[in-house]
Amino acid sequence: MSLQRIVRVSLEHPTSAVCVAGVETLVDIYGAVPQGTEMFEVYGTPGVDVYISPRTGKKRERADTRRWHFDLGFEIIVVVNSPSNDLNDSHVQISYHSSHEPLPLAYAVLYLTCVDITLDCDLNCEGRQDRSFVDKRQWVWGPGGYGAILLVNCDRDNLTCDNQDNCDQRVHCLQDLEDMSVMVLRTQGPAALFDDHKLILHTSSHDAKRARVFHACGPEDSCEAYRHVLGQDKLSYEVPRFHGDEERFFVEGLSFPDAGFSGLISFHVTLLDYSNEDFYQSPIFTDTVVFRVAPWIMTPSTLPPLEVYVCQVKNNMGFVDSVAELARRAGCKLTICPQAENRNDRWIQDEMEMGYIQAPHKTFPVVFDSPRNGELQDFPYKRILGPDFGYVTREPRDNSVSRLDSFGNLEVSPPVVANGKEYPLGRILIGGNLPGSRGRRVTQVVRDFLHAQKVQPPVELFVDWLTVGHVDEFLSFVPAPDGKGFRMLLASPSACFKLFQEKQKWGHGRALLFQGVAGNQQVNTISINQVLANRNLISYNKFVQSCIDWNREVLKRELGLTDCDIIDIPQLFKMERRKALAFFPDLVNMLVLGKHLGIPKPFGPIINGRCCLEEKVRSLLEPLGLHCTFIDDFTSYHVLHGEVHCGTNVRRQPFSFKWWNMVP
């Protein structure tokens, strides 16, 4: 129990006070003491507990057990356990005594009116054995933690509206309420008390910018019943007295955690005393609840797929058909963005990243729209935002956007344990430059947003050596039945040269790359012998390998991986404008749909009627139970500096693990 306030008693006339059930009131008996007082007695009516507490730190005792020596070191604490039926229906009596007088020197009476006031919400205590000692003013992470959770109401449940649900101050449809958290104000006590007392619901100006509260002021099956009472420019609300003892409020989040906002939002209800016209209203009691805004959570490629997105453009019909067939095998929904909407922008992975938000009462997907703003820029907002599908974006004010701000440069690992710390939702991977260098980085507003979500702490990798500069150009994750449940695939020039040297040793040096490439007559074939004789290519790929190896060590350290968790996928790169591009279609830039992999067809050397690069990849991945499908993306994507992963996007199942059970 927490201390409420101090009430001073008088010998001249009885004193009245309002108290809150279960909350301690400190009674000051020292303000008016009869001369000669040596001892005192304190008694309360039934339902009133009175304690004597020495200020020296000794244990408190019940006051009605004996007569007490008058000592300025005593505190008298009163607790009323249940709300009153009438005004002043309980009291505490203090009698002052002297050893020289048989009767009390005087009496002081404190009349009490008790109310019960609680501001409640779902504190998500499912992991706690004892729910009675939960401090609503705190938010505690972990399986034994607790705290209310708030969703950013960033979807659009009413399709007749142009904006997201949290962009205005109205409830447009009843489905909108399902995305909000319920906050209940319960009051019990004499109705007459509220003739000169008021209940004020309030929040800070900081928190008012980040949440909005609606009060159900009528039949809850009507949108018109929900009145906007807190949030934005409204910092306080006088709660009207209706016929019932319970008022329901619906709370929606307006902002995700970000720089300057931890995600915590507090709401308070305060009982104010207006009974004395000579003084300004005085606060009697405040109850507080704290919400945490649910973070935006990314889903790794190892989670089951639900929906695949791809763009239809002028020259990619075969690619779209291949993706559609792969989605069919994986049991996924397929969404095709038509050319009229994508305006020939095929890079749907770069435009957006799929994630989700979750509270105990609701989970829904949220698309994160990248700041790249190509011709696809309207697709996430106009086509994906909708009922139970949210939208969020971050745009730098100075338009300082580079290729690294496309979301091929935004990935997330599966769950890992690193350096003794668990990351049950994995870790976000973004690409940047080397520490201390002046190369390209992801724009600050996106980095701030990702770090503020807390549950998937980002790892920044070195990608500035790449022309495009995306992490998906040299790594991906696939599910596995053993070990950590996945393998990380890394592009490896060393593995490619080793493979080609083996084939050369066995007399296949004349086998050609790029045979059979359709629709592009400018592609020149090149033999294994020519590749292995090209000193510039070999030298440059040694540099590329050193860059990948640097990232490999970072990933092993930050994700807790060993070499057994990593598969090296043969891949060569070439230099263009002092940066690296895939020499042949980038094999790790794949579409992962459960056990079905859509891998860029490399057009590698044909040996005994089979592409040796495809055969090598199959030998590495099919023992894991994976099915490899090689998709021709050469003309439609590869020559434009992208591959299968760049040209697709996937919405996946959320994690079964609940984010609030982790400890950031």
Side-chain angles (χ1 to χ4, degrees), residues 237-255:
Y237 171 61
E238 181 180 336
V239 182
R241 288 292 294 171
F242 293 110
H243 298 296
D245 297 328
E246 182 175 295
E247 299 297 333
R248 282 163 55 88
F249 299 87
F250 292 81
V251 189
E252 65 177 359
L254 304 181
S255 303

Side-chain angles (χ1 to χ4, degrees), residues 466-468 473 572-576 579-583 641:
L466 289 154
T467 299
V468 177
E473 295 179 78
L572 295 181
F573 293 82
K574 61 184 178 181
M575 183 170 64
E576 183 175 296
K579 303 282 186 180
L581 284 171
F583 182 69
H641 303 171

Side-chain angles (χ1 to χ4, degrees), residues 330-593:
C332 296
K333 177 183 177 182
L334 178 69
T335 295
I336 298 175
C337 176
Q339 188 172 355
E341 294 181 24
N342 65 54
R343 292 170 290 191
N344 229 37
D345 184 353
R346 67 198 70 203
W347 309 113
I348 199 165
Q349 180 66 228
D350 289 342
E351 182 59 39
M352 61 190 189
E353 184 67 41
M354 294 296 179
Y356 68 94
I357 58 176
Q358 185 174 53
H361 67 281
K362 187 70 177 283
T363 301
F364 62 81
V366 175
V367 59
F368 186 9
D369 190 359
S370 80
R372 74 183 278 264
N373 290 339
E375 296 301 317
L376 264 172
Q377 63 177 328
D378 294 334
F379 180 73
Y381 193 85
K382 291 186 176 180
R383 279 288 306 274
I384 294 181
L385 171 64
D388 288 341
F389 210 131
Y391 172 93
V392 64
T393 190
R394 288 294 181 271
E395 301 269 354
R397 293 182 179 179
D398 58 359
N399 293 320
S400 56
V401 175
S402 72
R403 280 186 168 185
L404 271 64
D405 295 306
S406 297
F407 283 171
N409 194 33
L410 175 62
E411 298 296 324
V412 66
S413 79
V416 292
V417 178
N419 305 309
K421 183 170 179 56
E422 295 184 10
Y423 300 94
L425 302 175
R427 300 191 69 176
I428 288 172
L429 306 176
I430 56 174
N433 53 28
L434 285 174
S437 69
R438 295 184 178 182
R440 298 170 294 172
R441 293 187 76 188
V442 173
T443 189
Q444 186 71 50
V445 292
V446 172
R447 282 186 282 133
D448 287 344
F449 175 82
L450 297 175
H451 280 277
Q453 307 314 304
K454 290 183 179 291
V455 295
Q456 297 174 309
V459 177
E460 191 165 359
L461 301 174
F462 174 38
V463 301
D464 200 29
W465 52 277
L466 289 154
T467 299
V468 177
H470 293 175
V471 292
D472 70 351
E473 295 179 78
F474 66 90
L475 70 82
S476 60
F477 296 91
V478 295
D482 56 2
K484 294 181 173 64
F486 68 89
R487 296 289 191 277
M488 181 173 72
L489 311 184
L490 285 182
S492 174
S494 295
C496 190
F497 282 126
K498 181 180 179 181
L499 175 66
F500 284 0
Q501 287 165 354
E502 290 174 355
K503 300 305 178 185
Q504 184 187 56
K505 180 180 178 180
W506 288 99
H508 302 294
R510 292 185 177 182
L512 299 175
L513 285 84
F514 307 131
Q515 274 190 315
V517 174
N520 194 326
Q521 302 302 318
Q522 297 178 354
V523 178
N524 296 318
T525 58
I526 183 172
S527 70
I528 290 177
N529 288 337
Q530 289 173 307
V531 168
L532 295 178
N534 190 327
R535 293 183 179 180
N536 289 335
L537 184 65
I538 292 173
S539 176
Y540 187 68
N541 274 273
K542 286 182 178 179
F543 162 74
V544 169
Q545 187 67 61
S546 71
C547 296
I548 295 173
D549 287 344
W550 192 92
N551 286 308
R552 183 191 191 99
E553 293 307 309
V554 172
L555 289 161
K556 287 169 67 174
R557 180 178 67 249
E558 298 298 333
L559 302 184
L561 305 181
T562 66
D563 287 331
C564 294
D565 304 312
I566 303 171
I567 297 177
D568 292 310
I569 301 296
Q571 185 65 49
L572 295 181
F573 293 82
K574 61 184 178 181
M575 183 170 64
E576 183 175 296
R577 298 178 182 177
R578 302 180 62 84
K579 303 282 186 180
L581 284 171
F583 182 69
F584 51 80
D586 193 347
L587 290 161
V588 299
N589 193 276
M590 63 179 66
L591 173 61
V592 181
L593 301 179

Side-chain angles (χ1 to χ4, degrees), residues 28-79:
D28 181 2
I29 66 170
Y30 302 107
V33 181
Q35 187 174 0
T37 297
E38 298 174 0
M39 293 172 289
F40 67 92
E41 291 179 319
V42 185
Y43 295 96
T45 53
V48 180
D49 294 333
V50 186
Y51 301 93
I52 301 295
S53 178
R55 293 179 181 171
T56 57
K58 294 181 181 179
K59 188 177 180 180
R60 66 172 62 174
E61 298 182 44
R62 290 190 64 90
D64 56 5
T65 58
R66 59 188 173 92
R67 188 172 290 183
W68 300 86
H69 286 282
F70 194 82
D71 185 343
L72 293 177
F74 282 129
E75 290 181 340
I76 298 177
I77 297 170
V78 174
V79 179

